[in-house]
Amino acid sequence: MEEKHHAQAKMLPGWIFYVFFLLVDSPISSGTSLPPPPPPPPPPVVCIVGGGISGSSVAHFLRRYSPHSALTLRLFERSGVVGGRMATVVLAGETFEAGASILHPKNFHAVDFTKMLNLSVKKPPSSESSLSLWIWDGEKFVFKTLESKSKSSIVQKIVAITNSMLLFVRYGFSLFKMDSFVETTVDNFLKYYASLESRPVFETVDEMLKWADLYNLTARTLQDELVDAGLSPLLIEELVTVITRINYGQSVSISGLAGAVSLAGSGGGLWSVEGGNWQLVAGLINRSDVALHLHEEIETISYHGESYELNSTKGNSYKCEVAVIATPLDELNIRFNPPISIPKRKLQHTHATFIRGLLNPAYFGLDAVSEIPELVGTLERPDLPFSSISVLRKHDEKDISYKIFSRKPMADELLDSIFSLRKETIRINWAAYPHYSAPEVFAPFILDGLHLYYVNAFENAASTMETSAVAAENIARLILSRYSSGLLLSRPSNMNTPTSHQENLHSDL
């Protein structure tokens, strides 16, 4: 043992010499330096096509998450105003929502935007809980709730309780099963507000839905899902059908996730932005330092090796390293080079007709206008010309503003049979949302495998203002994580943890 130790000691000076030689002979010690690492590429120019909630949200989240203030954002809108499917109309001197109208209390991005932009929340009228709903089958009303004309909160509360009892008598415990179905879906959707550290960046819609346990709902119809949940056929045929016809213009044959979102949009606590929901879009664009191009429709998008070239109807050409499509491609004529491939999708058109006048009570088999409820919902019947008629504002006994939803345009002859008096008529044809059909097939988020992105691929799951914002937030993270290491996602210092963030937003609302 002692001899072995002595041999190791004798070898030590040789190792010291070798280490010394390496140090002396190294480039650092000889005064030379290693070549510096190549600089990261400059922040890209990002071109966003579409000036609605999807496009404005992408711009917002890119600006919020990117550590590079030099990031250049261009946004193209073919019309003269921003907002997309969020717009208002003026009827009888008052402003009403014409497109996307309602927000859920757990739409946390929308709540966050509203607070950040210092916008005012428009709360529903105090009489909302006593709103009268009648269900029309084309010949008669099959269900009626009571209506309160009293302004007394006590009377309204009594009417609301009575209406709840009427609903329970007709539909029984199926109402609680419906609530449970919706609540489970909403709870799963809330996973999209989890912290950046715990929430992946999703490259496909399928992946995004499976992570939140929502994908299976897109593979079956709402009717099938509700039957399995134990809802009665009468509740599905009547109340659920009324809701899906109003919110999506479609029957209970829509896919389950879209149907659940539709049912969630009929609950309590719904709200909007005072003065119009379109202000969310305008505010996000203004805060995101975006070069806004109004009245400029993009005709072609071509990839040229390291960048995209966008050509507009004005004859202008724009070079962008990243291009984002933030509007449905289904009825647009953008030409892509090289061509892209997405599943064919039909859009469901909703015709919104705004009338100032008086309904004709005889059309509904009634004697007086005062008997007509505030909301007329309809069953799924092929001969019914409208989905719903609702009262927007009662100016006086002979002057009322109404909104009608229908799947086809409302001709003057038809309107004259439904109304005894028409002072003003405004018609809007919305390419409102996809025509849902289970099982849903999704377009890719990344259209060319490179840096051409499609926010509205998520709409085949569900189409709302909030789902658009959720998809846009994922697209912004996807861009920043994929473009280069020089654009790594940065967590804003002012972001709350998801739990406290949600609780704060909910309590403030």
Side-chain angles (χ1 to χ4, degrees):
M1 175 68 73
E2 185 177 347
E3 188 173 322
K4 184 177 179 182
H5 178 75
H6 180 68
Q8 288 178 338
K10 290 175 64 177
M11 293 176 63
L12 187 59
W15 283 107
I16 294 174
F17 176 81
Y18 180 70
V19 172
F20 177 77
F21 174 82
L22 289 177
L23 291 173
V24 171
D25 197 55
S26 68
I28 296 175
S29 62
S30 62
T32 62
S33 59
L34 290 170
V45 176
V46 180
C47 289
I48 302 170
V49 180
I53 189 63
S54 297
S56 60
S57 296
V58 168
H60 165 73
F61 286 114
L62 280 174
R63 191 65 74 194
R64 183 179 184 183
Y65 291 159
S66 174
H68 294 272
S69 59
L71 188 71
T72 300
L73 303 178
R74 293 186 179 275
L75 191 146
F76 301 88
E77 170 55 47
R78 59 179 176 173
S79 70
V81 294
V82 298
R85 287 167 280 181
M86 299 158 67
T88 56
V89 296
V90 176
L91 191 67
E94 294 192 53
T95 300
F96 301 102
E97 294 287 353
S101 303
I102 57 172
L103 290 155
H104 191 275
K106 291 185 179 179
N107 287 166
F108 292 130
H109 284 321
V111 176
D112 199 12
F113 296 161
T114 303
K115 291 174 58 179
M116 178 184 68
L117 299 171
N118 293 319
L119 298 173
S120 299
V121 170
K122 183 178 181 180
K123 298 178 180 179
S126 58
S127 60
E128 180 197 54
S129 58
S130 59
L131 177 74
S132 58
L133 163 67
W134 292 12
I135 300 177
W136 175 250
D137 70 357
E139 297 179 354
K140 63 183 181 302
F141 289 103
V142 298
F143 177 73
K144 300 178 182 180
T145 62
L146 302 180
E147 179 180 2
S148 170
K149 299 184 183 299
S150 172
K151 294 183 179 180
S152 167
S153 60
I154 297 177
V155 173
Q156 290 176 4
K157 192 169 293 185
I158 293 172
V159 171
I161 293 172
T162 304
N163 285 338
S164 296
M165 294 175 62
L166 290 172
L167 286 166
F168 182 76
V169 168
R170 187 164 185 84
Y171 302 118
F173 288 100
S174 284
L175 291 169
F176 299 102
K177 295 176 181 178
M178 181 176 73
D179 285 345
S180 177
F181 170 76
V182 172
E183 190 64 29
T184 299
T185 305
V186 171
D187 287 344
N188 284 335
F189 187 83
L190 293 180
K191 296 175 183 177
Y192 293 131
Y193 304 107
S195 66
L196 299 180
E197 293 82 3
S198 63
R199 179 163 45 94
V201 178
F202 305 102
E203 294 198 356
T204 68
V205 179
D206 303 62
E207 177 188 357
M208 188 170 178
L209 292 170
K210 288 175 181 177
W211 179 82
D213 295 320
L214 294 171
Y215 180 80
N216 289 342
L217 286 174
T218 69
R220 306 177 69 212
T221 68
L222 175 64
Q223 183 168 20
D224 290 341
E225 290 289 340
L226 295 182
V227 168
D228 283 358
L231 273 68
S232 69
L234 185 63
L235 177 58
I236 297 172
E237 180 187 356
E238 292 185 356
L239 189 59
V240 174
T241 295
V242 166
I243 293 170
T244 59
R245 283 172 63 87
I246 292 174
N247 288 339
Y248 277 132
Q250 296 166 64
S251 71
V252 291
S253 295
I254 65 175
S255 51
L257 180 54
V261 169
S262 177
L263 293 174
S266 65
L270 303 179
W271 60 283
S272 60
V273 175
E274 190 73 50
N277 293 331
W278 63 270
Q279 294 172 99
L280 293 173
V281 174
L284 292 177
I285 291 174
N286 288 336
R287 282 182 58 97
S288 301
D289 189 20
V290 172
L292 179 60
H293 301 262
L294 294 176
H295 292 296
E296 192 151 13
E297 183 174 2
I298 298 301
E299 287 186 309
T300 63
I301 299 178
S302 303
Y303 183 63
H304 296 301
E306 293 184 353
S307 63
Y308 296 89
E309 180 182 324
L310 279 66
N311 293 294
S312 76
T313 51
K314 289 186 173 181
N316 297 326
S317 180
Y318 302 92
K319 178 184 175 182
C320 313
E321 283 73 33
V322 176
V324 180
I325 308 300
T327 184
L329 285 170
D330 311 276
E331 295 184 0
L332 293 181
N333 295 316
I334 299 178
R335 298 188 302 277
F336 294 89
N337 184 26
I340 62 168
S341 177
I342 60 174
K344 288 187 176 181
R345 182 174 71 178
K346 178 184 176 183
L347 293 184
Q348 180 73 38
H349 280 248
T350 289
H351 296 265
T353 306
F354 297 83
I355 306 287
R356 180 187 179 188
L358 281 178
L359 282 169
N360 177 11
Y363 182 87
F364 299 100
L366 301 174
D367 297 323
V369 174
S370 59
E371 297 180 55
I372 302 175
E374 295 166 289
L375 174 60
V376 176
T378 57
L379 301 183
E380 188 65 26
R381 300 286 188 269
D383 55 341
L384 276 171
F386 59 88
S387 299
S388 65
I389 300 177
S390 58
V391 173
L392 294 174
R393 183 81 71 239
K394 189 173 183 179
H395 309 289
D396 59 49
E397 293 299 325
K398 295 184 179 181
D399 189 6
I400 303 175
S401 293
Y402 302 89
K403 177 165 69 174
I404 305 174
F405 282 151
S406 61
R407 294 174 182 171
K408 296 180 180 179
M410 301 287 286
D412 285 333
E413 295 79 11
L414 175 61
L415 290 175
D416 288 339
S417 67
I418 298 175
F419 287 83
S420 59
L421 172 67
R422 283 195 294 143
K423 295 180 180 179
E424 295 180 60
T425 302
I426 301 173
R427 295 179 173 92
I428 301 177
N429 177 9
W430 291 110
Y433 14 67
H435 183 84
Y436 292 104
S437 178
E440 297 289 353
V441 180
F442 301 98
F445 276 144
I446 308 169
L447 291 173
D448 62 350
L450 298 168
H451 300 291
L452 177 62
Y453 298 89
Y454 187 29
V455 184
N456 299 74
F458 195 82
E459 279 200 77
N460 262 49
S463 178
T464 67
M465 290 177 276
E466 186 69 9
T467 53
S468 296
V470 166
E473 193 258 359
N474 179 71
I475 291 292
R477 295 177 67 205
L478 191 57
I479 291 169
L480 296 172
S481 64
R482 293 183 72 249
Y483 182 74
S484 75
S485 59
L487 285 173
L488 290 177
L489 189 65
S490 173
R491 179 183 175 89
S493 59
N494 62 339
M495 287 184 66
N496 298 314
T497 59
T499 303
S500 64
H501 191 52
Q502 293 175 24
E503 289 175 353
N504 288 341
L505 291 173
H506 190 57
S507 61
D508 287 348
L509 179 65

